[in-house]
Structure formats: structure tokens, C-alpha cells
Amino acid sequence: MRAKEIMSTPVLTVAPETPVRDAVQLMLGNHVSGLPVVDARGHLVGVITEADLLLKEVEPKPPPPVVEWAGPWLWFERWVGGHRKAAGRTVGEVMTHHVITADEETPVHELAARMMRHQINRLPIVRGREVVGIVTRADILKVFLRCNEELAAEAQRIAGDYIWPREEVRAAVKRGVLVLRGRLASPGRRATLLQ
């Protein structure tokens, strides 16, 4: 499966100049924990999340950083951005600038890996710099709820892309367990298919 098959669309977004209060109302009113931030051209410039907003209520307030945030590193922005987020009044002042994204063709396993690696809950799905969808952890979990027939069809498609003429693989799924039967040209090809 790919991002385009599980993403939510259209996506609620906010502009950098949106007051924090309005962003909070939008998030709570739509039961979402984060929003992509887009400029006037519709290009992704950041993301605002509950975690960004919680810093406004932390006591004592985070001290000003020794160095200002600059660069493409999410971990660095998290490390030095607390003071800016605590003092911010608009989305642009509070948002996370470095956004981890994916495109519509990104496989679900890669979406999950990015979320785990960067400790994030959502991935904006972009086409160029335009947000075309969003995938949350909950969207990825829904993959586990696919019916046996859907899983078997997906496995058969993947196997069909792999096998050579005169090879045969049949996929079946019973209670969520994939069973492959058939014949391949060599044990090495079998091992590769099963990876």
C-alpha cells in the first residue's frame, strides 16, 4: 500500500499569520492534533501540533537559546525552539519549521518508519511543495484491518511483479496469515520473494 491509498484529503491547513487561538479552535473543533501550515501560494512552510502549543503553558518558561535555530534539523529545532514557541502569538511563531513529509507513492512501511524515526504523529503528503493529503498513525493502523481477500490480492500483485515466465505463485490469506504456494526457478529466488 502507498500513502495515496490511506491519506486523508482534503487537508485542513492554517496560514502563518493565523492567531494561535484560532488554530486551537480549528484543531479542537475538528478533532485533530496538528495542522500543516501553508503560505499564500499553498506551499507547505511548517506544521503546528499540540506539542508546539503545550510549550506555551510550561512553567518555568524555557530560557532563550544560546544559539538561534537555523538549519534543516528537526531535533535541533526541538532543542532550541522552546522559548520561541512559548512566546509566540501566531501560528508562524509557534510552528515547527522543519517538516518531515512524504509523497503519494511512499509505501506505508516507509511512512511508519519515518514516524518512528522522527517521533512524529503525522506526515503531510506533498506533491512538490503543495499539501495534497495527510497520514496519521491511526491511518497506518487501519492497514491491519484489511480483509483477507484484500490482503491476498495485494500479495498476489506483489508476487506477480516479481515472478518470471514459467514460475508460479499463488497467495492466500486465512485469518490475517499470508500463505504463498507455487514454484520458482531457484531457492535463492524463493528467499528473495519471502523477504
Side-chain angles (χ1 to χ4, degrees):
M1 286 194 108
R2 306 205 174 278
K4 64 184 175 186
E5 298 170 77
I6 65 168
M7 69 185 188
S8 299
T9 188
V11 183
L12 289 172
T13 62
V14 290
E17 59 275 6
T18 303
V20 166
R21 180 181 177 88
D22 292 352
V24 170
Q25 285 179 327
L26 188 61
M27 290 166 66
L28 293 175
N30 288 281
H31 308 286
V32 296
S33 61
L35 298 166
V37 182
V38 298
D39 64 16
R41 295 172 299 184
H43 292 171
L44 182 66
V45 295
V47 65
I48 186 167
T49 68
E50 291 171 337
D52 295 321
L53 295 165
L54 288 177
L55 286 169
K56 295 184 75 48
E57 293 302 319
V58 171
E59 291 293 341
K61 298 292 183 203
V66 176
V67 293
E68 285 299 316
W69 176 84
W73 305 290
L74 179 58
W75 67 268
F76 191 67
E77 181 176 359
R78 285 177 176 159
W79 184 50
V80 301
H83 176 74
R84 174 181 54 85
K85 291 174 188 284
R89 295 175 184 258
T90 67
V91 167
E93 295 167 336
V94 175
M95 71 183 186
T96 297
H97 292 84
H98 180 71
V99 184
I100 308 301
T101 64
D103 64 38
E104 296 161 285
E105 296 300 323
T106 305
V108 171
H109 68 86
E110 176 58 28
L111 299 173
R114 287 182 195 179
M115 288 181 180
M116 295 300 294
R117 185 169 48 249
H118 298 288
Q119 300 175 343
I120 55 177
N121 297 331
R122 73 205 47 77
L123 283 168
I125 306 302
V126 295
R127 188 181 303 137
R129 291 186 56 205
E130 178 188 355
V131 179
V132 295
I134 196 157
V135 172
T136 65
R137 288 181 176 188
D139 294 325
I140 291 176
L141 291 179
K142 291 174 190 172
V143 170
F144 294 107
L145 301 179
R146 292 183 292 170
C147 67
N148 288 342
E149 294 78 17
E150 190 178 339
L151 290 169
E154 174 87 3
Q156 191 67 55
R157 183 190 60 74
I158 292 168
D161 291 344
Y162 175 78
I163 63 173
W164 293 342
R166 296 192 214 173
E167 292 182 327
E168 180 183 341
V169 174
R170 291 178 310 283
V173 176
K174 293 182 180 147
R175 297 186 343 167
V177 177
L178 174 64
V179 177
L180 296 173
R181 297 188 190 278
R183 58 180 168 65
L184 296 173
S186 71
R189 293 214 8 100
R190 176 180 177 263
T192 303
L193 176 63
L194 295 177
Q195 288 180 350

